[in-house]
Amino acid sequence: PVVLSAISAASSTTVELNIALKRMLNFNAPPLKNTAAEPVWKVLIYDRFGQDIISPLLSVKELRDMGITLHLLLHSDRDPIPDVPAIYFVMPTEENIDRICQDLRNQLYESYYLNFISAISRSKLEDIASAALAANAVTQVTKVFDQYLNFITLEDDMFILCHQNKELISYHGAVPIIRCPRGNAAEMVAVKLDKKLRENLRDARNSLFTGDSMTAGQFSFQRPLFVLVDRNVDMATPLHHTWTYQALIHDVLDFHLNRVVMEEGMGVEPSPAGARPKKKSRKTYDLTAADKFWQKHKGSPFPEVAESVQEELDTYRAQEDEVKRLKSIMGLEGEDEGAISMLSDNTAKLTSAVSSLPELLEKKRLIDLHTNVATAVLDHIKSRKLDVYFEFEEKLMSKSTLDKSLLDIISDPDAGTPEDKMRLFLIYYITAQQAPSESDLEQYKKALLDAGCDLSPLNYIKQWKAFTKMAATPANYGNSGVKPMGLFSRVMNTGSQFVMEGVKNLVLKQHNLPVTRILDNLMEMNSIPRNKNPFQEAIVFVVGGGNFIEYQNLVDYTKSKQGKKVVYGCSELFNASQFIKQLSQLGQK
């Protein structure tokens, strides 16, 4: 049900969802264009689902600019604020409804604007009405809305579903043309979705297709292509060691809903004997659309990112004297940079100095952010030899000539973690046209066990491979591969922030992964007579989980196709470590 409900709703762009949220936070009225007007102060109450939807899109500062003085979890201990309106953004679960009714009885707020992430049932609506009546608060429940926002947008062209399986939410958007492979979970979902769409197209009173997207008629010639694929079509990519910035961060760091959490002081010398070890502080970094460096380089190969960060750092250092001069003019020597960067635009207009300083300090904040994040990624690359894994896996997937033995990498105690070795071997096993002989397999298994690997994922992949061999042709990874470039320029000198010595300067050749190849064939109508025009828009949805490698491959594909728009969605977003844990659980059954 969750897949049926959110798939087309998530074809909305991040901008459209942002507008919908801002409208909701303005009491479901269009936000005021005149930003000089004082906003109405209010509190925002959300559950974990609401928090996940809002946090990648709206910063604390943006919430404050919209008049949100407090944002609190529904089930936290909250004090009464009787003279302030409250906007609720929650799932319509029984537990949440009970807590809202309790808030009404306790008269916590001046008025209540109830926004449900998915559609609330009539019985639960009646529960709220009864509680409002008993608390003499009927007039205070000002508005009740079903928002149909049960999905999370991480990028303008990427979404994931909320993990909630009790409530149905509506399908909103243009009627798609559905394509999916036969004989797996994707086909089951597609059949149910098709049935749902047909029922609603017949019912004029309760059509799910309403709004601006349908003004040209339900059967618009610009209908998007909707491609539903099962994770089974490509099991190697989720395990692949990657080389692009965003996918690397997701693979090796704690990256969730566009936020990186890192422990500071990693790699610092240990405390003297007998001394109490210093407690590591946790630092969070938001990687947002407002960050121009992130927008430009999130899909770039890591060596290119390191060089670009170094360039930005060198440029800023040349401006440091200007920063000191501006601080001196303003009498702010020694002041906290974060506080200075919060100077309002009104203050900034006082002098040109005030205008320049916040901009320079914001630039430094972003440089520091990417210096810290990229350095943490580089530490993983060097300590685990991730460049070696990436290059070797690319050769396996593209059937290129191997320059070293798989057994040598597995047996090398300095090359990666046990999980890295298992990922590499699984990719070899998945992509091999001919499975290894029993004697070779035993030799590999012994090497993996000696390296400390858990063989449970291999148990499952053996079963999967045997089944897919009967059911379908193996995935085609195209003419992929990598090409080594010359030595690093900016990041090899002694003054560089990034010590890249020993790391290969690899550039990924443009190629289409299996999901992208499926999309390309369908969009270009390669299997259909030429009397039909190719599709201009598509939504690709992966049942069983997606990843940033697949997403980036689709982004690169779209860039090469002028005028095309592709949105990528998945039931959940996992990195290789999370995926291999799932395989391990399946292998133990």
Side-chain angles (χ1 to χ4, degrees):
V2 174
V3 175
L4 296 180
S5 60
I7 272 164
S8 228
S11 64
S12 312
T13 64
T14 307
V15 174
E16 288 165 342
L17 181 56
N18 201 301
I19 291 168
L21 289 174
K22 286 183 175 178
R23 184 185 178 96
M24 179 189 81
L25 296 174
N26 194 45
F27 307 113
N28 286 292
L32 295 170
K33 296 278 173 73
N34 181 12
T35 52
E38 191 77 11
V40 176
W41 301 110
K42 56 241 177 197
V43 296
L44 171 63
I45 311 297
Y46 46 36
D47 60 3
R48 293 287 180 192
F49 291 104
Q51 185 180 38
D52 284 352
I53 293 165
I54 289 173
S55 64
L57 295 174
L58 297 172
S59 66
V60 173
K61 184 180 183 302
E62 285 176 297
L63 290 174
R64 192 167 56 243
D65 290 344
M66 286 182 279
I68 304 294
T69 53
L70 279 174
H71 39 97
L72 304 165
L73 283 166
L74 176 65
H75 293 282
S76 62
D77 292 328
R78 290 174 282 117
D79 295 324
I81 314 175
D83 54 347
V84 171
I87 294 173
Y88 287 69
F89 186 50
V90 298
M91 292 295 289
T93 62
E94 200 160 321
E95 188 184 19
N96 286 352
I97 300 300
D98 289 346
R99 188 58 188 258
I100 291 169
C101 292
Q102 186 182 321
D103 289 355
L104 291 171
R105 286 193 294 272
N106 294 339
Q107 299 183 346
L108 289 192
Y109 307 111
E110 177 191 70
S111 52
Y112 303 81
Y113 294 78
L114 307 180
N115 297 274
F116 294 104
I117 296 167
S118 61
I120 184 171
S121 65
R122 184 178 180 86
S123 63
K124 286 177 181 159
L125 205 53
E126 287 171 354
D127 291 343
I128 294 173
S130 300
L133 200 62
N136 198 25
V138 173
T139 56
Q140 290 171 277
V141 181
T142 312
K143 287 182 180 177
V144 179
F145 276 88
D146 290 334
Q147 292 290 353
Y148 305 118
L149 296 175
N150 194 9
F151 57 95
I152 301 166
T153 59
L154 299 178
E155 302 285 348
D156 197 34
D157 50 4
M158 183 185 192
F159 67 92
I160 60 175
L161 300 187
C162 301
H163 304 292
Q164 212 278 351
N165 56 7
K166 292 181 182 175
E167 313 296 331
L168 285 176
I169 66 168
S170 280
Y171 179 107
H172 171 78
V175 186
I177 292 169
I178 305 167
R179 295 286 181 265
C180 73
R182 292 188 179 277
N184 57 26
E187 185 186 20
M188 291 163 62
V189 173
V191 169
K192 289 184 178 180
L193 179 60
D194 181 65
K195 184 168 179 265
K196 184 91 170 169
L197 302 188
R198 290 176 190 279
E199 285 172 0
N200 280 275
L201 285 169
R202 283 196 295 267
D203 186 356
R205 297 164 304 164
N206 188 32
S207 177
L208 296 173
F209 299 94
T210 55
D212 297 340
S213 62
M214 298 305 294
T215 51
Q218 289 175 328
F219 301 102
S220 164
F221 288 110
Q222 293 302 312
R223 290 167 68 190
L225 171 68
F226 182 38
V227 184
L228 256 176
V229 295
D230 190 278
R231 182 69 274 158
N232 285 315
V233 302
D234 175 13
M235 294 286 274
T237 296
L239 296 163
H240 191 17
H241 288 87
T242 181
W243 201 233
T244 54
Y245 192 30
Q246 185 178 43
L248 262 169
I249 291 170
H250 192 232
D251 190 7
V252 303
L253 302 179
D254 181 358
F255 185 44
H256 180 65
L257 298 180
N258 295 347
R259 175 169 290 173
V260 184
V261 181
M262 291 186 350
E263 283 188 346
E264 288 199 317
M266 293 170 74
V268 179
E269 291 181 15
S271 305
R276 183 178 293 175
K278 289 182 181 176
K279 191 175 180 181
K280 289 179 180 176
S281 61
R282 287 166 71 82
K283 188 84 176 170
T284 61
Y285 300 106
D286 290 319
L287 299 172
T288 67
D291 181 344
K292 289 178 183 174
F293 184 90
W294 174 245
Q295 290 304 305
K296 184 178 179 183
H297 291 292
K298 63 188 175 186
S300 302
F302 184 77
E304 189 182 308
V305 173
E307 291 206 331
S308 298
V309 173
Q310 190 63 47
E311 278 180 35
E312 294 282 334
L313 201 54
D314 293 344
T315 304
Y316 180 78
R317 280 172 180 161
Q319 297 174 316
E320 273 189 321
D321 289 340
E322 176 68 2
V323 173
K324 287 174 185 171
R325 188 183 71 79
L326 292 171
K327 278 188 174 183
S328 175
I329 290 170
M330 296 164 64
L332 293 171
E333 294 98 332
E335 284 289 326
D336 174 65
E337 291 184 353
I340 298 169
S341 67
M342 294 293 285
L343 288 166
S344 70
D345 290 341
N346 292 335
T347 311
K349 288 170 187 169
L350 295 174
T351 65
S352 61
V354 180
S355 175
S356 304
L357 187 57
E359 190 181 324
L360 283 169
L361 292 177
E362 174 61 11
K363 189 175 181 182
K364 179 165 189 298
R365 184 188 72 80
L366 293 175
I367 292 169
D368 288 346
L369 183 162
H370 289 289
T371 301
N372 293 341
V373 171
T375 301
V377 170
L378 179 59
D379 287 345
H380 281 273
I381 291 172
K382 291 168 74 172
S383 66
R384 292 161 56 185
K385 296 189 178 177
L386 297 186
D387 51 337
V388 174
Y389 278 93
F390 167 68
E391 185 178 28
F392 197 88
E393 289 164 9
E394 283 287 321
K395 287 178 178 176
L396 283 173
M397 293 162 80
S398 61
K399 309 288 188 290
S400 302
T401 308
L402 302 175
D403 57 353
K404 62 176 70 177
S405 152
L406 175 63
L407 210 54
D408 286 347
I409 299 179
I410 294 171
S411 305
D412 182 353
D414 297 323
T417 63
E419 189 180 89
D420 290 325
K421 296 174 193 292
M422 179 51 75
R423 285 165 62 179
L424 171 64
F425 183 73
L426 290 176
I427 289 171
Y428 157 71
Y429 194 89
I430 289 165
T431 57
Q433 288 176 318
Q434 191 72 36
S437 65
E438 278 302 315
S439 60
D440 285 349
L441 186 59
E442 286 306 312
Q443 194 178 2
Y444 282 126
K445 284 166 77 170
K446 184 182 182 304
L448 289 165
L449 284 170
D450 289 346
C453 296
D454 169 20
L455 296 185
S456 302
L458 177 58
N459 297 337
Y460 176 74
I461 289 296
K462 281 176 72 178
Q463 297 168 27
W464 170 84
K465 179 107 174 174
F467 174 74
T468 53
K469 197 173 181 182
M470 293 184 293
T473 54
N476 187 337
Y477 292 88
N479 184 25
S480 62
V482 292
K483 50 183 179 181
M485 301 297 285
L487 288 173
F488 300 102
S489 53
R490 286 181 172 272
V491 292
M492 285 301 285
N493 63 61
T494 52
S496 169
Q497 184 74 30
F498 302 97
V499 184
M500 300 287 281
E501 193 174 352
V503 177
K504 296 185 179 186
N505 189 5
L506 302 169
V507 175
L508 181 61
K509 291 179 188 173
Q510 180 56 42
H511 68 290
N512 290 342
L513 291 173
V515 169
T516 307
R517 294 171 75 83
I518 290 167
L519 173 72
D520 182 51
N521 282 331
L522 292 169
M523 280 197 94
E524 300 302 326
M525 300 259 187
N526 291 344
S527 58
I528 298 172
R530 279 286 165 190
N531 60 349
K532 291 192 178 181
N533 293 323
F535 291 100
Q536 295 303 307
E537 292 186 23
I539 304 159
V540 178
F541 188 85
V542 184
V543 180
N547 54 79
F548 278 113
I549 305 172
E550 212 160 54
Y551 162 68
Q552 187 58 49
N553 196 249
L554 283 167
V555 169
D556 294 339
Y557 164 81
T558 309
K559 283 178 183 172
S560 70
K561 302 283 184 180
Q562 197 171 4
K564 305 268 186 190
K565 182 188 173 188
V566 177
V567 175
Y568 176 75
C570 50
S571 50
E572 64 174 311
L573 186 71
F574 45 55
N575 61 19
S577 183
Q578 292 160 337
F579 186 53
I580 213 164
K581 281 189 180 108
Q582 292 185 18
L583 297 181
S584 180
Q585 288 168 2
L586 291 166
Q588 290 166 7
K589 289 181 179 176

